[in-house]
Amino acid sequence: MIPKYQRIADRLRAQLTGETRIRMTKLPTEKELCSLYGVSRQTVRQALQLLETEGLIERRQGSGAYATGLHPDSAHNRIAILLPTDNDYIYPRLRSDLQTPILKEGFAVSFFLTGHSVAKERAILEQLLSVPLRGLIVDPVKSALPNPNLDLYERLWSRQLPTVFLSSGYTNFSPHTVIAEDNLAGAMQLTQYLISKRHTRIAGIFCQDTLPGHYRYLGFTSACASAAIPWDDANIRWYSTAELTALQKKQDTGFLADFVRQNLSACSAVICQDDEIAYWLIKELILAGKHVPEDVSVVSFDNSYLCDFSVPGITSLSHKAHAEPAAAAADALLTQMRGKAVDSVSLGFELVERASCISLA
């Protein structure tokens, strides 16, 4: 005969690990469990001790017992993280911020690179359907476009799989937890900064197939409209993830050279999608005989190491203290795996000024 404490542990385990549709975050008190199962406190304590030994709960003095999110079978304690590329200039920090808190909690992490390709993303999702999985973090592929892989995501979600999207969701997906940056407000902040420096002829270069690019464009144009500053479509350049990949892998700056020749001649300042674009754009401006910031001021997003590598240093938006998106995404996933719902968040920026921008007389 199965001991009473074992039967209680089995029932609690099913709720802790998501094998039922009701997943617990905090266990009832010992007194409540005694009443619920009609057993002694000693029996309840034996059940809790077993669950604690398996790593499924942690008991906090004076507070109670809480789910850790772990599964008793270690093969199930794997988190899959889908990223577009490892050529990205922020990839090393992104990888570290994502995996460090997850590993600390006893989970294993597997990274998958989609290569900015929905076909590659589909192949990865099909692979994940055949393996035990505890959670999923996704940095979307071409998030401004409808994603054709919804059917595979829905099959994963049918397992009650905790999922967090990083930077944006997909336009055709039902709402899920998204840890994003407030790109619209950030672009407005950069534009208002340039306007305060008396720039009235401002250009922009943005990524056309990602939602952050669209929101940064919208923030730029909204700030111009609010300040009654005209902008011209001829001064806006949209680039694709294919052009970005060519820049990262081959240092192909052709689209930036075209931007300098075709879109910047009448402008005194430019807002860039991110530091990587700003870094290579400054090089193209110098090759074209223009001086930064005397001829063209340059501002961007991310406040990465490229800002200090660039000459001149790049004025850029930094994440606010304790608001790194990757770390926030990892924390949101861990919280979901412990049974709590997590709302989407939009993280703010703060400006870090360097020498790439000047005031006009």
Side-chain angles (χ1 to χ4, degrees):
M1 179 179 293
I2 300 175
K4 289 182 180 180
Y5 79 88
Q6 180 71 65
R7 290 202 300 270
I8 295 170
D10 290 344
R11 293 181 185 181
L12 293 174
R13 187 185 299 108
Q15 295 183 55
L16 289 166
T17 60
E19 294 167 12
T20 68
R21 289 193 173 273
I22 302 173
R23 181 181 293 182
M24 286 192 297
T25 300
K26 181 182 179 182
L27 273 66
T29 65
E30 290 184 2
K31 183 178 179 180
E32 290 169 336
L33 289 171
C34 290
S35 176
L36 179 62
Y37 293 110
V39 296
S40 68
R41 181 159 291 193
Q42 178 62 29
T43 299
V44 165
R45 287 176 177 172
Q46 285 180 293
L48 295 180
Q49 180 62 49
L50 178 59
L51 296 174
E52 187 175 31
T53 301
E54 293 175 352
L56 302 187
I57 64 170
E58 60 177 359
R59 288 193 276 184
R60 304 173 191 171
Q61 185 67 34
S63 181
Y66 294 82
T68 64
L70 289 166
H71 193 280
D73 183 349
S74 60
H76 289 257
N77 290 323
R78 182 162 297 278
I79 309 302
I81 300 179
L82 277 61
L83 298 177
T85 177
D86 59 359
N87 291 312
D88 198 312
Y89 67 106
I90 62 172
Y91 176 78
R93 180 175 180 181
L94 181 66
R95 181 182 175 111
S96 176
D97 285 351
L98 286 169
Q99 75 175 359
T100 298
I102 294 173
L103 293 175
K104 184 179 178 182
E105 295 301 318
F107 297 91
V109 176
S110 294
F111 285 90
F112 299 87
L113 300 178
T114 60
H116 297 291
S117 164
V118 291
K120 182 68 179 295
E121 179 190 48
R122 189 168 189 85
I124 292 168
L125 293 173
E126 288 174 340
Q127 177 184 348
L128 294 179
L129 282 167
S130 65
V131 299
L133 201 60
R134 196 72 183 136
L136 181 65
I137 296 177
V138 180
D139 192 339
V141 176
K142 300 174 184 175
S143 57
L145 304 177
N147 185 281
N149 298 326
L150 176 58
D151 60 321
L152 298 184
Y153 278 106
E154 287 181 333
R155 287 172 62 186
L156 286 168
W157 293 332
S158 70
R159 305 177 182 177
Q160 310 300 312
L161 183 70
T163 301
V164 174
F165 287 96
L166 178 63
S167 79
S168 70
Y170 283 121
T171 57
N172 60 318
F173 283 23
S174 59
H176 279 79
T177 302
V178 178
I179 307 299
E181 300 161 323
D182 194 343
N183 291 293
L184 190 148
M188 291 184 69
Q189 183 179 353
L190 280 178
T191 307
Q192 291 162 354
Y193 170 75
L194 290 174
I195 293 171
S196 75
K197 298 289 187 180
R198 301 189 179 183
H199 292 277
T200 58
R201 295 172 291 115
I202 306 171
I205 180 167
F206 307 104
C207 188
Q208 70 181 4
D209 45 21
T210 66
L211 283 175
H214 287 206
Y215 282 115
R216 289 175 185 184
Y217 164 77
L218 184 59
F220 160 59
T221 54
S222 297
C224 287
S226 295
I229 299 295
W231 76 92
D232 192 331
D233 287 343
N235 298 329
I236 303 297
R237 170 74 191 214
W238 293 97
Y239 66 91
S240 68
T241 50
E243 289 172 309
L244 176 62
T245 298
L247 172 66
Q248 293 172 334
K249 291 185 175 181
K250 303 175 183 178
Q251 296 187 8
D252 182 350
T253 58
F255 72 98
L256 295 174
D258 290 343
F259 179 52
V260 171
R261 288 193 303 268
Q262 300 171 11
N263 307 97
L264 278 179
S265 59
C267 297
S268 64
V270 57
I271 294 177
C272 297
Q273 171 79 19
D274 56 35
D275 294 340
E276 185 171 34
I277 296 299
Y279 176 84
W280 290 103
L281 178 62
I282 288 174
K283 290 183 176 294
E284 287 301 317
L285 286 166
I286 293 171
L287 286 173
K290 294 184 178 291
H291 297 89
V292 179
E294 292 80 7
D295 296 325
V296 181
S297 289
V298 177
V299 297
S300 68
F301 289 76
D302 285 345
N303 190 39
S304 69
Y305 69 90
L306 289 178
C307 294
D308 294 317
F309 278 16
S310 176
V311 180
I314 303 168
T315 293
S316 184
L317 287 182
S318 172
H319 300 123
K320 290 185 176 180
H322 310 298
E324 290 293 338
D331 183 65
L333 185 70
L334 289 167
T335 300
Q336 279 192 28
M337 291 189 296
R338 294 174 186 134
K340 289 185 179 180
V342 181
D343 293 330
S344 295
V345 297
S346 188
L347 303 172
F349 294 100
E350 55 191 10
L351 188 70
V352 179
E353 294 185 72
R354 295 184 180 86
S356 66
C357 183
I358 59 171
S359 295
L360 298 182

Tab-separated table of all heavy atoms in Angstrom, residues 96-150:
chain	number	residue	atom	x	y	z
A	96	SER	N	24.445	35.984	-21.719
A	96	SER	CA	24.763	35.900	-20.292
A	96	SER	C	23.587	36.331	-19.426
A	96	SER	O	23.243	35.664	-18.445
A	96	SER	CB	25.986	36.770	-19.984
A	96	SER	OG	26.253	36.788	-18.596
A	97	ASP	N	22.938	37.441	-19.792
A	97	ASP	CA	21.813	37.945	-19.002
A	97	ASP	C	20.633	36.970	-19.009
A	97	ASP	O	19.873	36.904	-18.039
A	97	ASP	CB	21.356	39.303	-19.539
A	97	ASP	CG	22.303	40.431	-19.159
A	97	ASP	OD1	23.206	40.194	-18.339
A	97	ASP	OD2	22.140	41.549	-19.690
A	98	LEU	N	20.473	36.235	-20.100
A	98	LEU	CA	19.382	35.285	-20.184
A	98	LEU	C	19.658	34.018	-19.379
A	98	LEU	O	18.801	33.534	-18.626
A	98	LEU	CB	19.115	34.906	-21.646
A	98	LEU	CG	18.408	35.950	-22.512
A	98	LEU	CD1	18.459	35.542	-23.979
A	98	LEU	CD2	16.957	36.131	-22.062
A	99	GLN	N	20.853	33.469	-19.530
A	99	GLN	CA	21.081	32.150	-18.955
A	99	GLN	C	21.533	32.169	-17.491
A	99	GLN	O	21.245	31.214	-16.754
A	99	GLN	CB	22.087	31.365	-19.788
A	99	GLN	CG	23.528	31.779	-19.657
A	99	GLN	CD	24.452	30.857	-20.432
A	99	GLN	OE1	24.023	29.891	-21.049
A	99	GLN	NE2	25.734	31.160	-20.417
A	100	THR	N	22.209	33.219	-17.045
A	100	THR	CA	22.774	33.220	-15.691
A	100	THR	C	21.710	33.005	-14.611
A	100	THR	O	21.852	32.116	-13.752
A	100	THR	CB	23.566	34.505	-15.437
A	100	THR	OG1	24.664	34.576	-16.362
A	100	THR	CG2	24.112	34.537	-14.014
A	101	PRO	N	20.608	33.784	-14.593
A	101	PRO	CA	19.612	33.555	-13.533
A	101	PRO	C	18.891	32.219	-13.672
A	101	PRO	O	18.473	31.629	-12.669
A	101	PRO	CB	18.634	34.725	-13.703
A	101	PRO	CG	18.828	35.208	-15.102
A	101	PRO	CD	20.264	34.951	-15.440
A	102	ILE	N	18.766	31.716	-14.902
A	102	ILE	CA	18.089	30.438	-15.118
A	102	ILE	C	18.943	29.280	-14.622
A	102	ILE	O	18.463	28.368	-13.941
A	102	ILE	CB	17.740	30.269	-16.611
A	102	ILE	CG1	16.699	31.320	-17.023
A	102	ILE	CG2	17.229	28.863	-16.903
A	102	ILE	CD1	16.409	31.357	-18.503
A	103	LEU	N	20.232	29.300	-14.944
A	103	LEU	CA	21.141	28.261	-14.460
A	103	LEU	C	21.217	28.266	-12.935
A	103	LEU	O	21.301	27.207	-12.307
A	103	LEU	CB	22.535	28.477	-15.057
A	103	LEU	CG	22.682	28.280	-16.570
A	103	LEU	CD1	24.093	28.654	-17.010
A	103	LEU	CD2	22.361	26.841	-16.969
A	104	LYS	N	21.171	29.455	-12.364
A	104	LYS	CA	21.263	29.591	-10.909
A	104	LYS	C	20.119	28.863	-10.216
A	104	LYS	O	20.281	28.365	-9.087
A	104	LYS	CB	21.251	31.076	-10.530
A	104	LYS	CG	21.429	31.355	-9.053
A	104	LYS	CD	21.429	32.848	-8.771
A	104	LYS	CE	21.570	33.127	-7.283
A	104	LYS	NZ	21.517	34.591	-6.999
A	105	GLU	N	18.969	28.779	-10.873
A	105	GLU	CA	17.798	28.131	-10.278
A	105	GLU	C	17.737	26.637	-10.568
A	105	GLU	O	16.743	25.975	-10.264
A	105	GLU	CB	16.521	28.812	-10.766
A	105	GLU	CG	16.381	30.253	-10.322
A	105	GLU	CD	16.385	30.401	-8.808
A	105	GLU	OE1	15.724	29.572	-8.135
A	105	GLU	OE2	17.047	31.319	-8.291
A	106	GLY	N	18.775	26.088	-11.208
A	106	GLY	CA	18.850	24.648	-11.402
A	106	GLY	C	18.358	24.136	-12.737
A	106	GLY	O	18.282	22.920	-12.942
A	107	PHE	N	18.046	25.030	-13.672
A	107	PHE	CA	17.587	24.621	-14.995
A	107	PHE	C	18.759	24.574	-15.971
A	107	PHE	O	19.766	25.267	-15.793
A	107	PHE	CB	16.530	25.596	-15.525
A	107	PHE	CG	15.275	25.637	-14.707
A	107	PHE	CD1	15.130	26.541	-13.662
A	107	PHE	CD2	14.233	24.760	-14.959
A	107	PHE	CE1	13.984	26.587	-12.889
A	107	PHE	CE2	13.081	24.788	-14.199
A	107	PHE	CZ	12.956	25.702	-13.161
A	108	ALA	N	18.613	23.760	-17.001
A	108	ALA	CA	19.572	23.744	-18.103
A	108	ALA	C	19.057	24.661	-19.210
A	108	ALA	O	17.853	24.893	-19.326
A	108	ALA	CB	19.753	22.326	-18.633
A	109	VAL	N	19.980	25.184	-20.023
A	109	VAL	CA	19.614	26.126	-21.079
A	109	VAL	C	20.177	25.647	-22.411
A	109	VAL	O	21.347	25.261	-22.498
A	109	VAL	CB	20.148	27.547	-20.775
A	109	VAL	CG1	19.849	28.499	-21.929
A	109	VAL	CG2	19.542	28.083	-19.475
A	110	SER	N	19.331	25.675	-23.433
A	110	SER	CA	19.773	25.383	-24.802
A	110	SER	C	19.436	26.578	-25.678
A	110	SER	O	18.286	27.045	-25.687
A	110	SER	CB	19.082	24.136	-25.356
A	110	SER	OG	19.462	22.989	-24.643
A	111	PHE	N	20.443	27.078	-26.409
A	111	PHE	CA	20.240	28.197	-27.323
A	111	PHE	C	20.061	27.675	-28.746
A	111	PHE	O	20.741	26.739	-29.177
A	111	PHE	CB	21.434	29.154	-27.277
A	111	PHE	CG	21.479	30.009	-26.044
A	111	PHE	CD1	22.154	29.586	-24.906
A	111	PHE	CD2	20.837	31.235	-26.001
A	111	PHE	CE1	22.192	30.357	-23.763
A	111	PHE	CE2	20.863	32.023	-24.864
A	111	PHE	CZ	21.544	31.587	-23.745
A	112	PHE	N	19.150	28.314	-29.476
A	112	PHE	CA	18.896	27.979	-30.875
A	112	PHE	C	18.909	29.274	-31.682
A	112	PHE	O	18.287	30.262	-31.275
A	112	PHE	CB	17.545	27.280	-31.030
A	112	PHE	CG	17.436	25.986	-30.278
A	112	PHE	CD1	17.023	25.978	-28.948
A	112	PHE	CD2	17.745	24.783	-30.888
A	112	PHE	CE1	16.920	24.783	-28.243
A	112	PHE	CE2	17.657	23.584	-30.194
A	112	PHE	CZ	17.238	23.585	-28.867
A	113	LEU	N	19.587	29.269	-32.809
A	113	LEU	CA	19.705	30.457	-33.649
A	113	LEU	C	18.798	30.318	-34.866
A	113	LEU	O	18.938	29.378	-35.646
A	113	LEU	CB	21.151	30.658	-34.085
A	113	LEU	CG	22.169	30.835	-32.955
A	113	LEU	CD1	23.572	30.974	-33.508
A	113	LEU	CD2	21.809	32.047	-32.084
A	114	THR	N	17.881	31.267	-35.016
A	114	THR	CA	16.931	31.222	-36.122
A	114	THR	C	17.482	31.842	-37.404
A	114	THR	O	16.893	31.667	-38.473
A	114	THR	CB	15.630	31.937	-35.743
A	114	THR	OG1	15.928	33.305	-35.421
A	114	THR	CG2	14.960	31.265	-34.563
A	115	GLY	N	18.573	32.601	-37.286
A	115	GLY	CA	19.165	33.204	-38.477
A	115	GLY	C	18.236	34.171	-39.187
A	115	GLY	O	18.300	34.325	-40.417
A	116	HIS	N	17.341	34.838	-38.440
A	116	HIS	CA	16.362	35.770	-39.018
A	116	HIS	C	15.475	35.077	-40.046
A	116	HIS	O	14.944	35.721	-40.958
A	116	HIS	CB	17.051	36.969	-39.681
A	116	HIS	CG	17.838	37.826	-38.740
A	116	HIS	ND1	17.264	38.619	-37.776
A	116	HIS	CD2	19.182	38.012	-38.622
A	116	HIS	CE1	18.213	39.259	-37.101
A	116	HIS	NE2	19.374	38.913	-37.590
A	117	SER	N	15.286	33.770	-39.923
A	117	SER	CA	14.546	32.994	-40.914
A	117	SER	C	13.364	32.284	-40.261
A	117	SER	O	13.548	31.498	-39.323
A	117	SER	CB	15.466	31.963	-41.570
A	117	SER	OG	14.724	30.969	-42.251
A	118	VAL	N	12.140	32.529	-40.772
A	118	VAL	CA	10.986	31.833	-40.214
A	118	VAL	C	11.030	30.349	-40.568
A	118	VAL	O	10.485	29.511	-39.825
A	118	VAL	CB	9.665	32.476	-40.701
A	118	VAL	CG1	9.495	33.853	-40.095
A	118	VAL	CG2	9.588	32.529	-42.214
A	119	ALA	N	11.661	29.995	-41.680
A	119	ALA	CA	11.810	28.576	-42.030
A	119	ALA	C	12.721	27.873	-41.035
A	119	ALA	O	12.439	26.748	-40.592
A	119	ALA	CB	12.356	28.435	-43.444
A	120	LYS	N	13.812	28.540	-40.645
A	120	LYS	CA	14.713	27.963	-39.645
A	120	LYS	C	14.020	27.906	-38.280
A	120	LYS	O	14.164	26.927	-37.535
A	120	LYS	CB	15.986	28.808	-39.554
A	120	LYS	CG	17.035	28.292	-38.583
A	120	LYS	CD	17.646	26.998	-39.048
A	120	LYS	CE	18.729	26.503	-38.079
A	120	LYS	NZ	19.899	27.416	-38.031
A	121	GLU	N	13.249	28.938	-37.977
A	121	GLU	CA	12.485	28.927	-36.729
A	121	GLU	C	11.526	27.732	-36.712
A	121	GLU	O	11.387	27.054	-35.685
A	121	GLU	CB	11.699	30.230	-36.583
A	121	GLU	CG	10.851	30.297	-35.318
A	121	GLU	CD	9.895	31.472	-35.314
A	121	GLU	OE1	9.195	31.672	-36.336
A	121	GLU	OE2	9.831	32.178	-34.298
A	122	ARG	N	10.897	27.455	-37.839
A	122	ARG	CA	9.951	26.336	-37.903
A	122	ARG	C	10.662	25.003	-37.648
A	122	ARG	O	10.154	24.145	-36.909
A	122	ARG	CB	9.260	26.307	-39.265
A	122	ARG	CG	8.119	25.304	-39.322
A	122	ARG	CD	7.246	25.451	-40.550
A	122	ARG	NE	6.065	24.605	-40.428
A	122	ARG	CZ	4.954	24.947	-39.797
A	122	ARG	NH1	4.869	26.137	-39.223
A	122	ARG	NH2	3.933	24.111	-39.717
A	123	ALA	N	11.832	24.837	-38.248
A	123	ALA	CA	12.593	23.599	-38.036
A	123	ALA	C	12.964	23.435	-36.569
A	123	ALA	O	12.916	22.324	-36.014
A	123	ALA	CB	13.837	23.601	-38.917
A	124	ILE	N	13.317	24.537	-35.903
A	124	ILE	CA	13.670	24.479	-34.482
A	124	ILE	C	12.450	24.109	-33.642
A	124	ILE	O	12.518	23.268	-32.740
A	124	ILE	CB	14.263	25.828	-34.024
A	124	ILE	CG1	15.623	26.064	-34.693
A	124	ILE	CG2	14.398	25.882	-32.502
A	124	ILE	CD1	16.154	27.479	-34.533
A	125	LEU	N	11.313	24.718	-33.931
A	125	LEU	CA	10.092	24.428	-33.174
A	125	LEU	C	9.676	22.968	-33.342
A	125	LEU	O	9.235	22.325	-32.373
A	125	LEU	CB	8.965	25.355	-33.628
A	125	LEU	CG	9.151	26.846	-33.308
A	125	LEU	CD1	8.056	27.664	-33.969
A	125	LEU	CD2	9.179	27.095	-31.805
A	126	GLU	N	9.798	22.436	-34.547
A	126	GLU	CA	9.482	21.021	-34.762
A	126	GLU	C	10.403	20.131	-33.938
A	126	GLU	O	9.983	19.109	-33.387
A	126	GLU	CB	9.598	20.688	-36.252
A	126	GLU	CG	8.466	21.285	-37.080
A	126	GLU	CD	8.656	21.095	-38.570
A	126	GLU	OE1	9.815	20.853	-38.988
A	126	GLU	OE2	7.664	21.183	-39.313
A	127	GLN	N	11.665	20.535	-33.820
A	127	GLN	CA	12.614	19.786	-32.991
A	127	GLN	C	12.206	19.852	-31.517
A	127	GLN	O	12.250	18.842	-30.797
A	127	GLN	CB	14.017	20.366	-33.183
A	127	GLN	CG	15.093	19.731	-32.323
A	127	GLN	CD	16.443	20.419	-32.504
A	127	GLN	OE1	16.641	21.220	-33.422
A	127	GLN	NE2	17.369	20.126	-31.621
A	128	LEU	N	11.777	21.021	-31.074
A	128	LEU	CA	11.417	21.186	-29.666
A	128	LEU	C	10.165	20.401	-29.296
A	128	LEU	O	9.987	20.015	-28.134
A	128	LEU	CB	11.218	22.672	-29.355
A	128	LEU	CG	12.470	23.549	-29.450
A	128	LEU	CD1	12.128	24.999	-29.153
A	128	LEU	CD2	13.567	23.055	-28.513
A	129	LEU	N	9.295	20.175	-30.259
A	129	LEU	CA	8.085	19.397	-29.984
A	129	LEU	C	8.389	17.957	-29.595
A	129	LEU	O	7.553	17.292	-28.977
A	129	LEU	CB	7.164	19.418	-31.213
A	129	LEU	CG	6.349	20.694	-31.421
A	129	LEU	CD1	5.743	20.721	-32.817
A	129	LEU	CD2	5.264	20.818	-30.355
A	130	SER	N	9.570	17.484	-29.934
A	130	SER	CA	9.907	16.081	-29.677
A	130	SER	C	10.785	15.891	-28.447
A	130	SER	O	11.236	14.777	-28.183
A	130	SER	CB	10.626	15.490	-30.902
A	130	SER	OG	11.875	16.130	-31.118
A	131	VAL	N	11.037	16.956	-27.686
A	131	VAL	CA	11.906	16.829	-26.514
A	131	VAL	C	11.205	17.389	-25.282
A	131	VAL	O	10.333	18.262	-25.394
A	131	VAL	CB	13.248	17.561	-26.729
A	131	VAL	CG1	14.002	16.970	-27.908
A	131	VAL	CG2	13.023	19.054	-26.935
A	132	PRO	N	11.563	16.902	-24.076
A	132	PRO	CA	11.010	17.496	-22.854
A	132	PRO	C	11.470	18.947	-22.724
A	132	PRO	O	12.631	19.261	-23.011
A	132	PRO	CB	11.598	16.629	-21.736
A	132	PRO	CG	12.097	15.393	-22.403
A	132	PRO	CD	12.479	15.789	-23.786
A	133	LEU	N	10.571	19.810	-22.315
A	133	LEU	CA	10.894	21.231	-22.255
A	133	LEU	C	10.119	21.856	-21.105
A	133	LEU	O	8.945	21.546	-20.879
A	133	LEU	CB	10.503	21.897	-23.580
A	133	LEU	CG	11.178	23.217	-23.938
A	133	LEU	CD1	12.686	23.041	-24.040
A	133	LEU	CD2	10.613	23.736	-25.267
A	134	ARG	N	10.786	22.757	-20.374
A	134	ARG	CA	10.165	23.377	-19.201
A	134	ARG	C	9.725	24.807	-19.461
A	134	ARG	O	8.808	25.313	-18.840
A	134	ARG	CB	11.156	23.346	-18.033
A	134	ARG	CG	10.501	23.612	-16.692
A	134	ARG	CD	9.675	22.434	-16.269
A	134	ARG	NE	8.980	22.721	-15.014
A	134	ARG	CZ	7.721	22.419	-14.803
A	134	ARG	NH1	7.018	21.837	-15.732
A	134	ARG	NH2	7.157	22.679	-13.652
A	135	GLY	N	10.409	25.488	-20.371
A	135	GLY	CA	10.075	26.882	-20.651
A	135	GLY	C	10.702	27.329	-21.956
A	135	GLY	O	11.591	26.666	-22.506
A	136	LEU	N	10.242	28.492	-22.444
A	136	LEU	CA	10.660	28.973	-23.755
A	136	LEU	C	10.788	30.490	-23.729
A	136	LEU	O	9.884	31.197	-23.265
A	136	LEU	CB	9.614	28.555	-24.796
A	136	LEU	CG	9.847	28.920	-26.261
A	136	LEU	CD1	11.077	28.195	-26.812
A	136	LEU	CD2	8.616	28.559	-27.091
A	137	ILE	N	11.932	30.986	-24.229
A	137	ILE	CA	12.122	32.419	-24.444
A	137	ILE	C	12.405	32.618	-25.929
A	137	ILE	O	13.253	31.924	-26.497
A	137	ILE	CB	13.280	32.985	-23.604
A	137	ILE	CG1	12.960	32.871	-22.105
A	137	ILE	CG2	13.555	34.441	-23.966
A	137	ILE	CD1	14.084	33.349	-21.192
A	138	VAL	N	11.700	33.566	-26.550
A	138	VAL	CA	11.827	33.774	-27.987
A	138	VAL	C	12.090	35.239	-28.293
A	138	VAL	O	11.318	36.119	-27.895
A	138	VAL	CB	10.538	33.335	-28.727
A	138	VAL	CG1	10.696	33.550	-30.235
A	138	VAL	CG2	10.207	31.885	-28.422
A	139	ASP	N	13.192	35.500	-29.002
A	139	ASP	CA	13.421	36.806	-29.618
A	139	ASP	C	12.920	36.664	-31.058
A	139	ASP	O	13.511	35.927	-31.854
A	139	ASP	CB	14.912	37.156	-29.596
A	139	ASP	CG	15.170	38.610	-29.953
A	139	ASP	OD1	14.305	39.235	-30.594
A	139	ASP	OD2	16.256	39.127	-29.626
A	140	PRO	N	11.818	37.309	-31.417
A	140	PRO	CA	11.116	36.976	-32.658
A	140	PRO	C	11.928	37.209	-33.931
A	140	PRO	O	12.874	37.994	-33.969
A	140	PRO	CB	9.897	37.905	-32.632
A	140	PRO	CG	9.703	38.226	-31.193
A	140	PRO	CD	11.090	38.296	-30.622
A	141	VAL	N	11.502	36.507	-34.984
A	141	VAL	CA	12.052	36.656	-36.326
A	141	VAL	C	11.142	37.583	-37.123
A	141	VAL	O	9.948	37.298	-37.280
A	141	VAL	CB	12.126	35.282	-37.035
A	141	VAL	CG1	12.618	35.452	-38.464
A	141	VAL	CG2	13.017	34.329	-36.264
A	142	LYS	N	11.670	38.722	-37.580
A	142	LYS	CA	10.892	39.633	-38.432
A	142	LYS	C	9.512	39.877	-37.832
A	142	LYS	O	8.476	39.616	-38.438
A	142	LYS	CB	10.782	39.069	-39.852
A	142	LYS	CG	12.129	38.859	-40.524
A	142	LYS	CD	12.003	38.179	-41.868
A	142	LYS	CE	13.371	37.895	-42.466
A	142	LYS	NZ	13.296	37.118	-43.726
A	143	SER	N	9.510	40.424	-36.635
A	143	SER	CA	8.285	40.520	-35.839
A	143	SER	C	7.233	41.443	-36.438
A	143	SER	O	6.058	41.375	-36.050
A	143	SER	CB	8.630	40.991	-34.427
A	143	SER	OG	9.319	42.240	-34.461
A	144	ALA	N	7.610	42.306	-37.377
A	144	ALA	CA	6.627	43.190	-37.999
A	144	ALA	C	5.786	42.468	-39.042
A	144	ALA	O	4.801	43.023	-39.529
A	144	ALA	CB	7.324	44.389	-38.639
A	145	LEU	N	6.175	41.245	-39.390
A	145	LEU	CA	5.447	40.456	-40.390
A	145	LEU	C	4.639	39.366	-39.704
A	145	LEU	O	5.031	38.862	-38.658
A	145	LEU	CB	6.436	39.824	-41.372
A	145	LEU	CG	7.389	40.775	-42.099
A	145	LEU	CD1	8.355	39.980	-42.971
A	145	LEU	CD2	6.615	41.783	-42.931
A	146	PRO	N	3.508	38.956	-40.281
A	146	PRO	CA	2.766	37.818	-39.722
A	146	PRO	C	3.653	36.574	-39.717
A	146	PRO	O	4.363	36.301	-40.683
A	146	PRO	CB	1.587	37.651	-40.693
A	146	PRO	CG	1.450	38.978	-41.360
A	146	PRO	CD	2.835	39.541	-41.455
A	147	ASN	N	3.610	35.832	-38.613
A	147	ASN	CA	4.460	34.660	-38.499
A	147	ASN	C	3.688	33.397	-38.871
A	147	ASN	O	2.617	33.145	-38.328
A	147	ASN	CB	4.988	34.535	-37.061
A	147	ASN	CG	5.979	33.412	-36.912
A	147	ASN	OD1	5.603	32.260	-36.822
A	147	ASN	ND2	7.255	33.748	-36.879
A	148	PRO	N	4.227	32.576	-39.796
A	148	PRO	CA	3.501	31.385	-40.254
A	148	PRO	C	3.636	30.170	-39.335
A	148	PRO	O	3.110	29.104	-39.659
A	148	PRO	CB	4.161	31.099	-41.609
A	148	PRO	CG	5.575	31.567	-41.430
A	148	PRO	CD	5.483	32.783	-40.541
A	149	ASN	N	4.331	30.332	-38.209
A	149	ASN	CA	4.609	29.183	-37.341
A	149	ASN	C	3.702	29.107	-36.121
A	149	ASN	O	4.003	28.392	-35.160
A	149	ASN	CB	6.071	29.216	-36.899
A	149	ASN	CG	7.022	29.107	-38.077
A	149	ASN	OD1	6.720	28.427	-39.055
A	149	ASN	ND2	8.151	29.787	-37.995
A	150	LEU	N	2.588	29.828	-36.166
A	150	LEU	CA	1.669	29.846	-35.032
A	150	LEU	C	1.180	28.449	-34.677
A	150	LEU	O	1.027	28.111	-33.499
A	150	LEU	CB	0.480	30.757	-35.334
A	150	LEU	CG	-0.627	30.818	-34.274
A	150	LEU	CD1	-0.067	31.267	-32.932
A	150	LEU	CD2	-1.756	31.740	-34.736
